[in-house]
Amino acid sequence: QIVCSLPLAALFYQGLFQVRYFEFLHILTIFLVLGIGADDIFVLMDSWKSTASEVRPSGPGDTYTKSDLKTRMSIAYIRTASSILN
C-alpha cells in the first residue's frame, strides 16, 4: 500500500500543488516520521502497562470504569510526556 501511495503523493505534490522539486529525500521523510511515531507508541504502551499495578479496577466484576481508564491514561501521559515531546 505504501509503494502504491508514493506515486499518488508525487502526483499531488507536482500536479496539484505545482511544486517541481521532488527528491527521494521527501519520500524518506515519511518513513522517518512513521519511525518516530512508532517509537513513541512503544514508550506510551509500556507506561500504560505499568499503570495497571497502580490503578486497580473499581467497576463491577473487577472491570475498569471510565474514570479508572482516564486516570491510567493521564498517569501514562505524564510519565512519557518528556520522552515523547523531547
Side-chain angles (χ1 to χ4, degrees):
Q1 291 175 351
I2 291 175
V3 174
C4 293
S5 68
L6 294 178
L8 184 62
L11 177 70
F12 274 102
Y13 194 71
Q14 292 177 350
L16 186 64
F17 300 128
Q18 299 296 317
V19 177
R20 297 292 170 214
Y21 180 73
F22 189 78
E23 286 291 322
F24 185 68
L25 287 176
H26 288 98
I27 296 171
L28 292 180
T29 304
I30 297 168
F31 294 105
L32 178 69
V33 170
L34 288 174
I36 292 171
D39 183 51
D40 291 345
I41 291 298
F42 285 125
V43 172
L44 186 61
M45 285 303 300
D46 185 48
S47 180
W48 170 261
K49 289 176 185 176
S50 72
T51 62
S53 63
E54 297 173 26
V55 179
R56 295 290 176 194
S58 63
D62 210 25
T63 59
Y64 286 104
T65 63
K66 196 172 192 178
S67 176
D68 296 336
L69 295 175
K70 285 181 182 179
T71 304
R72 282 185 70 186
M73 198 63 182
S74 66
I75 293 171
Y77 272 131
I78 289 169
R79 283 188 185 162
T80 59
S82 62
S83 63
I84 289 176
L85 299 175
N86 195 359

